[in-house]
Amino acid sequence: MSEQQGYHGGGGYGTPPQHPYGQGNPYQQPAPYQQNPYQQQDPYQQNPYAQPVPPQPVLPQPVSPQYAPPPRAPLQPAPAQQAPAPQTPGGNPGGFPGPEPRRSRTAVLLQFTFQWIYAPLWIAALAALIALLLWAGGGGPSGPDSDAWLKVNRSFIPPRRLKAELTGRPEDWERYVAPILERRIRSAEAEYAAGAGDVAADLSRAMGVRLAVRLYRGLGAAGVVRLAERYGWHGVADGGDRNHVRLGRRFPAPAQIHAPGPQDPPAAPGTPWGPRPGRFALLLPVILVLQVVYVPVYCLSTFWLDRTEPDYWDRWGARWAVGPRAFWAELTGGAAAWDRHVRRILARDIRQDAARDKGPDRGVVAADGTFVRRIRINLATYRGAGAQQVLRIAAEHGWHLDPAYTPQPEVCVRLCRTDRATPAQAPA
């Protein structure tokens, strides 16, 4: 059979069969109505008066709650992966050890009992040794380099600590160390207000506090850091020293400094930056003679006492003492005498500061090798001249008011000057 052979007159294999009654293929699609005169006609082109219809906004159609898709929750950022806190051998985070091993109750009771005997003997021996050193002068025996042998309180157990040593409970240690920590922190903050602290490059100042392990043995350094955070302080790593815990806090630089410039008009007498009222002239010779006696007594009586103001000596000395160089200027009250006295003291302090070694311990060293020198002029130096006169004379030597400290012209004037370190001392 040839390939042209079909079935019932079909066109060959693969051709749809024709209907036997000649009515065509019922599955074939009918031809479009070509005779429709309106097909493929644009009504807007036929109507010359028709206007284009602007596009209408598509309004959302209401959807039945049954078929509505569930609401999608807002995307939340993935939590950042935080580095795990460093762990110590004791298992405490932050790098600070936990409670130390308890001491033997027998040893604690024996030390508490016998300390009332050896502590007075220790103090008497120290007094005798100091008297021997003073009597022998430079040729006498010399003590050790460390002053640990002078700290009698280090081997003394106060009654308030006895309960914590015997029980070893952290809550008892916390009740004991909390007042001590608060007192140390308040004292450090008072020292900061008086001008203490290490000045940083951004003019902020850092203060530090250190506690010995005997004060927090059952609480641990981590517990002390937790208590310090209540006051805004934080723990400082000390290179694995388990005998002490260090705390620190950085205070920002003063936001604004209100002070007159060296070229401003002189401040009025009695104002903070103007001349201060002088003391009674007839009283000055008496103060000059008697201070030889009562100044050493004052120093010895206040050596072991905690004062609320660390610069109390400067305030007290400005009232009840007079320097031999300032005696004539204060006795006469002349502006020329005070000017000579201020220039003499300022030149002496600048000369002494220049003789000191240059380095990071003398100021903040910048990348270009510059650092800041700082000196302090007390009230007794410029009482009759005024603090503004100090600024005027200091400006002649390139010194100006230190912006790292809040000005206190009624107590002192702090000055600074940018200097350049030697190449060997400049940072790499």
Side-chain angles (χ1 to χ4, degrees):
M1 182 180 297
S2 65
E3 294 181 359
Q4 302 296 330
Q5 183 179 0
Y7 179 76
H8 295 288
Y13 295 105
T15 347
Q18 298 182 359
H19 198 273
Y21 300 101
Q23 296 180 0
N25 188 0
Y27 303 101
Q28 186 176 1
Q29 298 295 334
Y33 299 96
Q34 299 293 338
Q35 66 275 12
N36 187 358
Y38 301 101
Q39 189 174 5
Q40 297 179 354
Q41 292 183 2
D42 192 356
Y44 297 104
Q45 296 180 2
Q46 299 295 331
N47 187 4
Y49 303 100
Q51 299 294 332
V53 180
Q56 300 295 329
V58 180
L59 300 178
Q61 299 296 330
V63 182
S64 175
Q66 182 179 1
Y67 302 100
R72 295 184 178 181
L75 297 178
Q76 300 292 338
Q81 298 293 334
Q82 297 182 357
Q87 299 288 333
T88 59
N92 294 291
F96 299 99
E100 299 292 333
R102 290 180 53 185
R103 297 180 57 191
S104 172
R105 294 185 178 181
T106 304
V108 171
L109 291 176
L110 289 177
Q111 180 179 352
F112 181 78
T113 303
F114 289 103
Q115 69 184 2
W116 307 101
I117 300 176
Y118 69 75
L121 297 178
W122 192 344
I123 296 176
L126 290 178
L129 180 59
I130 292 176
L132 178 61
L133 293 176
L134 294 178
W135 176 77
S142 58
D145 297 336
S146 175
D147 61 345
W149 57 283
L150 294 173
K151 307 296 182 179
V152 185
N153 59 329
R154 294 184 178 181
S155 61
F156 195 85
I157 300 179
R160 295 181 293 109
R161 200 175 79 201
L162 179 62
K163 180 181 178 180
E165 291 276 9
L166 295 177
T167 62
R169 294 181 297 186
E171 53 270 18
D172 294 337
W173 279 99
E174 181 174 346
R175 281 193 293 267
Y176 167 71
V177 74
I180 300 177
L181 179 63
E182 181 180 3
R183 185 168 61 251
R184 298 276 184 93
I185 288 178
R186 297 308 179 204
S187 177
E189 292 177 351
E191 292 179 1
Y192 160 77
D198 299 329
V199 183
D202 57 352
L203 301 183
S204 62
R205 282 183 287 155
M207 297 295 300
V209 172
R210 191 179 73 163
L211 272 71
V213 68
R214 68 177 184 275
L215 303 177
Y216 60 89
R217 180 183 304 276
L219 186 61
V224 176
V225 173
R226 175 177 52 84
L227 294 177
E229 290 176 352
R230 303 176 183 176
Y231 303 95
W233 289 62
H234 60 274
V236 179
D238 198 14
D241 184 10
R242 300 184 65 91
N243 296 325
H244 298 88
V245 57
R246 294 182 181 272
L247 307 173
R249 183 179 180 182
R250 185 171 296 277
F251 296 87
Q256 213 170 16
I257 296 180
H258 300 281
Q263 305 302 328
D264 292 346
T271 58
W273 293 94
R276 311 291 294 180
R279 291 174 288 185
F280 188 49
L282 297 180
L283 187 61
L284 292 177
V286 179
I287 294 178
L288 183 62
V289 174
L290 294 183
Q291 69 183 6
V292 180
V293 178
Y294 64 72
V295 167
V297 174
Y298 167 82
C299 295
L300 292 176
S301 61
T302 59
F303 183 77
W304 289 281
L305 299 180
D306 293 333
R307 297 178 295 274
T308 56
E309 298 177 350
D311 58 345
Y312 186 75
W313 162 250
D314 298 327
R315 301 173 184 264
W316 186 89
R319 177 177 298 182
W320 299 106
V322 57
R325 297 183 178 181
F327 175 76
W328 179 253
E330 191 169 357
L331 182 65
T332 59
W338 276 111
D339 187 80
R340 288 194 301 269
H341 178 63
V342 171
R343 292 180 180 275
R344 181 168 55 247
I345 298 300
L346 186 60
R348 182 201 64 185
D349 292 350
I350 293 176
R351 185 170 56 254
Q352 292 178 355
D353 186 84
R356 299 173 184 173
D357 295 335
K358 300 179 181 180
D361 56 336
R362 295 294 307 132
V364 180
V365 178
D368 57 350
T370 60
F371 71 104
V372 180
R373 292 188 176 273
R374 290 181 167 90
I375 59 176
R376 166 176 170 162
I377 307 298
N378 295 326
L379 173 64
T381 302
Y382 60 86
R383 181 194 305 274
Q388 186 180 4
Q389 182 66 13
V390 178
L391 299 180
R392 185 176 293 108
I393 298 176
E396 301 175 359
H397 302 274
W399 293 74
H400 57 274
L401 193 64
D402 197 340
Y405 301 89
T406 302
Q408 293 180 329
E410 67 279 0
V411 180
C412 66
V413 174
R414 297 182 180 274
L415 304 171
C416 68
R417 187 184 67 179
T418 303
D419 202 349
R420 181 170 294 276
T422 59
Q425 294 164 339

